[in-house]
Amino acid sequence: MSMIFRSLPRLLILFLLGALVACSGSKTLSSHYVDQDITVDGTLSDWPYGDAVLHQSEYFTYYVTNDKQYVYLYVQFKNGFYQGAVQQSGFTIYLSGNPENKKALGITYPLGAFNALRDMPGTYDQFLNNQDWITKPEHQELLKKLRKENYQRVMITRREHKDAHAQNRILPVEQLRAQGL
């Protein structure tokens, strides 16, 4: 399973912070500039392959590059466990130019079934507070349905300062595309 993120504003290239699925904490990552067109097609055929590798492990590889307008992130998951974790919990990258607030802006894509529950406040509260919630067949069916919709929506997370409560907003991917993001 691999994912490509495109269209992150140029201003945010300064610090690309990855909330790595398999790592604790955040890492500061830098992007490799290219002066060529990048096609978003699920392959790395026109990427500066060697220069774009940011992190490799037996579980995943991160690639990132940017041009004058966009940052492109390609994540290749090599392990079924992490693929499943992304389907359930989503995949978040954090962008910030402020080392004091490294999680100022987060983008979660795919959304993840658990994050999709946030649009159902009562259900989300039950999910968080009742450890047996996930064992019920009707809830497993709901999560299955939400996983099928993972790539249709994105969650934007904002924090005013590093100790602030996260403000999350779930939007259709098409809304971001319409705004050129």
Side-chain angles (χ1 to χ4, degrees):
M1 175 183 173
S2 55
M3 300 179 302
I4 292 184
F5 293 89
R6 178 182 176 218
S7 308
L8 303 176
R10 175 78 171 106
L11 175 65
L12 298 175
I13 292 174
L14 298 173
F15 296 97
L16 177 62
L17 302 170
L20 304 176
V21 174
C23 298
S24 61
S26 297
K27 286 187 174 184
T28 300
L29 307 173
S30 300
S31 176
H32 176 77
Y33 177 79
V34 294
D35 193 17
Q36 68 187 48
D37 291 335
I38 298 291
T39 303
V40 178
D41 60 2
T43 72
L44 296 172
S45 61
D46 56 351
W47 287 51
Y49 184 79
D51 293 331
V53 174
L54 279 186
H55 178 81
Q56 287 191 87
S57 76
E58 62 186 284
Y59 308 112
F60 47 80
T61 302
Y62 292 95
Y63 305 85
V64 69
T65 193
N66 67 279
D67 58 22
K68 290 180 182 177
Q69 191 171 4
Y70 301 112
V71 174
Y72 303 87
L73 174 66
Y74 182 94
V75 183
Q76 179 183 30
F77 294 93
K78 303 174 186 177
N79 178 293
F81 174 79
Y82 293 107
Q83 290 176 3
V86 167
Q87 292 299 311
Q88 291 291 71
S89 300
F91 181 81
T92 304
I93 60 168
Y94 290 97
L95 303 164
S96 175
N98 179 355
E100 298 298 317
N101 186 11
K102 293 181 179 182
K103 294 185 178 182
L105 175 66
I107 301 171
T108 303
Y109 184 83
L111 180 60
F114 297 157
N115 284 320
L117 292 173
R118 293 173 187 265
D119 272 352
M120 305 170 204
T123 303
Y124 187 65
D125 290 342
Q126 291 172 14
F127 165 72
L128 291 177
N129 298 312
N130 181 350
Q131 64 185 18
D132 294 329
W133 184 92
I134 201 165
T135 64
K136 296 184 180 175
E138 65 271 20
H139 298 149
Q140 290 178 3
E141 282 300 313
L142 174 60
L143 291 171
K144 183 178 178 180
K145 176 184 172 274
L146 293 173
R147 281 191 301 273
K148 289 179 182 177
E149 300 170 357
N150 261 344
Y151 295 92
Q152 297 172 13
R153 297 185 292 165
V154 62
M155 183 169 69
I156 307 297
T157 302
R158 298 185 68 87
R159 285 185 179 83
E160 295 299 320
H161 55 84
K162 71 176 185 171
D163 297 322
H165 181 70
Q167 299 171 6
N168 299 304
R169 181 145 186 224
I170 297 173
L171 304 167
V173 170
E174 289 304 317
Q175 185 174 345
L176 294 181
R177 286 189 185 128
Q179 294 177 12
L181 300 175

